Amino acid sequence: MANPIQQSETASTNTAKRQRLSGHLHNHRQKAEHQQTDDNTVDLLPGLPNHIAQICLSLVNPSLLFSVCHSWRRLIYSPSFPPFLSLYTILSSTDNNLIKFFSFDPISSSWELLPPPPADPPLRLILRHPSFISRRFPVQSVSVAGRLVLLAATTDNFSPALSRPLIFEPLSRKWTFGPPLTAPRRWCAAGTVNNNTVYVASGVGSEFFDDVAKSVEKWEKVEGLKGKWEKVEGLKDGKFSRDAIDAVGWRGKLCMVNMKGDTAKEGIIYDSEENMWQDMPDGMLAGWKGPVTAMNEETMYVVDEVKGALRKYDPVRDDWQNVIESDNLKGAQQIGSGGGRVCVICGGGIVVVDVAAEPVKLWVVDPPNGFEAVTVHILPRMSKSEINFPVSL
């Protein structure tokens, strides 16, 4: 049993440390706010060159820097400062079904609209159509190489909305185009492997064609925005064109099932090194009862959309282990992961689960008023182009 006197001494010491730290931060805040120079620059840490100060400050949690002073707040958004992770979402307007791209900054707890994608004519992506009121049309995107890649969607005339991918680079705040797809499609499977290769499989074009429904193509070298789409080993049939599927990259392989939800389904795995498909292990398939993600393409998580249980896959035992169960996770629709957190779209909002914490923590991020979340990804925060902070390494 711990000595209560030692506990009291430790508590007093910690309180004194916090008071000293608070005093230092208060003094720095006052100095930083009054040390503006003629060229509108400020010393990050008095007595140190800014490029040395930046190295020191980069070791501090950005949330602490944000709360101290304006100069440090500007610093963490400058292009030269190591970026923290943010949420990137596709949101749908609840009034007119319009689709917008947003980023959520966890440090300032604020939403920001992304620049509009370049398109001529403008993109016309639909989620619903009057002829199919109960049917939701997917907008498929992946996160790869620190970028958001928009791959497939449907137009109001039921055609593929994209003939080539649209890529958003957060640090430059710019959209660019990827190489033309061999077969533009919708209702397809989309995923990534090794954080630099994008795959699309199956799906349909304006109409169903068996050769498209069985085809698979990949785009390598996403990071350098080079290369082209190449066909790889195809599927044995067109069963995977029934639903829009997240093909999950996991340990150099691509895992996917042909149906969403807690229903009987068929599962297959693509080995990117061997260029071949194989059946999914029984245990993995049996527990695939909702959206699935793989943290850093290494640890696979699923949300049982009926029970609201987040589970982690154990490849040795070929089964899924409970991580946390919550009513907030019931009805899970889409999932993303990164930085030790799993983010789940549920009921138009975003449930964040910190799986690295002990115990595991869960909270909800509400979308902007009048919008509901469609997809979520975790990527580096956007730089703020108006900031030209005088620091360099």
Side-chain angles (χ1 to χ4, degrees):
M1 180 178 295
N3 190 319
I5 297 178
Q6 291 178 335
Q7 289 179 335
S8 177
E9 291 176 345
T10 301
S12 299
T13 301
N14 290 339
T15 299
K17 288 182 178 178
R18 286 195 296 269
Q19 290 174 343
R20 289 197 297 271
L21 177 60
S22 176
H24 291 322
L25 293 179
H26 177 73
N27 292 336
H28 177 80
R29 181 186 296 110
Q30 289 184 323
K31 291 179 181 179
E33 290 175 350
H34 291 89
Q35 286 181 349
Q36 295 290 334
T37 61
D38 293 338
D39 60 352
N40 199 35
T41 64
V42 63
D43 290 338
L44 292 173
L45 290 172
L48 286 179
N50 276 346
H51 68 284
I52 301 298
Q54 178 180 330
I55 295 176
C56 298
L57 293 175
S58 67
L59 303 176
V60 181
N61 190 312
S63 62
L64 297 177
L65 301 180
F66 181 88
S67 62
V68 174
C69 61
H70 291 299
S71 62
W72 288 5
R73 184 176 300 181
R74 291 172 61 223
L75 172 65
I76 66 175
Y77 293 100
S78 67
S80 59
F81 195 79
F84 54 84
L85 295 177
S86 297
L87 302 185
Y88 288 78
T89 61
I90 298 176
L91 301 180
S92 171
S93 169
T94 55
D95 293 334
N96 52 23
N97 204 29
L98 289 178
I99 291 174
K100 299 288 186 180
F101 301 88
F102 278 84
S103 173
F104 178 77
D105 179 346
I107 304 299
S108 63
S109 296
S110 61
W111 288 94
E112 182 177 357
L113 184 65
L114 270 60
D120 187 15
L123 286 177
R124 296 181 60 86
L125 312 181
I126 64 169
L127 284 179
R128 293 180 176 86
H129 193 278
S131 301
F132 302 90
I133 297 176
S134 62
R135 192 65 161 172
R136 187 166 182 162
F137 293 84
V139 178
Q140 289 175 274
S141 56
V142 297
S143 53
V144 58
R147 295 165 171 83
L148 174 67
V149 181
L150 186 63
L151 286 168
T154 302
T155 66
D156 51 8
N157 63 353
F158 304 112
S159 295
L162 298 165
S163 60
R164 49 181 175 163
L166 267 171
I167 304 104
F168 182 73
E169 214 288 326
L171 299 184
S172 66
R173 303 172 64 100
K174 293 181 179 179
W175 291 90
T176 53
F177 287 104
L181 288 152
T182 302
R185 50 188 100 198
R186 54 198 181 97
W187 295 98
C188 55
T192 67
V193 172
N194 298 327
N195 196 36
N196 200 29
T197 303
V198 178
Y199 288 81
V200 292
S202 195
V204 298
S206 299
E207 300 177 5
F208 177 85
F209 293 100
D210 190 60
D211 56 343
V212 173
K214 294 192 293 185
S215 69
V216 183
E217 52 185 316
K218 70 175 182 178
W219 172 32
E220 295 181 304
K221 303 179 181 178
V222 175
E223 186 172 9
L225 298 177
K226 299 178 180 178
K228 61 180 182 179
W229 289 94
E230 301 175 354
K231 287 190 175 182
V232 299
E233 181 66 22
L235 305 170
K236 63 181 181 180
D237 53 46
K239 291 181 180 179
F240 287 82
S241 62
R242 296 176 180 174
D243 214 338
I245 302 298
D246 290 326
V248 180
W250 177 68
R251 302 185 178 185
K253 299 179 180 180
L254 201 65
C255 309
M256 63 187 197
V257 298
N258 66 333
M259 296 289 287
K260 285 190 173 185
D262 186 14
T263 58
K265 55 180 69 74
E266 177 183 340
I268 54 176
I269 295 180
Y270 174 75
D271 188 320
S272 60
E273 292 186 1
E274 300 294 333
N275 188 28
M276 62 179 294
W277 293 90
Q278 59 192 43
D279 292 336
M280 182 176 288
D282 292 340
M284 181 187 289
L285 179 60
W288 200 295
K289 297 182 178 181
V292 175
T293 185
M295 183 85 68
N296 302 321
E297 299 190 12
E298 180 63 28
T299 305
M300 191 179 296
Y301 294 90
V302 64
V303 176
D304 186 321
E305 60 186 51
V306 175
K307 295 183 178 180
L310 177 68
R311 301 188 178 111
K312 180 171 65 174
Y313 181 65
D314 183 341
V316 176
R317 299 173 56 185
D318 187 29
D319 66 4
W320 299 82
Q321 301 174 344
N322 267 17
V323 176
I324 190 173
E325 191 165 337
S326 170
D327 288 343
N328 288 321
L329 293 170
K330 291 182 178 180
Q333 300 164 343
Q334 192 265 343
I335 189 171
S337 60
R341 291 169 171 80
V342 175
C343 299
V344 188
I345 303 292
C346 297
I350 303 170
V351 180
V352 182
V353 184
D354 187 345
V355 295
E358 295 184 4
V360 174
K361 298 179 180 179
L362 179 150
W363 63 93
V364 177
V365 175
D366 293 321
N369 289 335
F371 287 90
E372 61 179 11
V374 178
T375 63
V376 61
H377 300 282
I378 301 176
L379 291 165
R381 61 97 179 101
M382 289 191 289
S383 292
K384 295 191 175 180
S385 56
E386 70 273 13
I387 294 176
N388 186 21
F389 212 84
V391 288
S392 60
L393 297 180

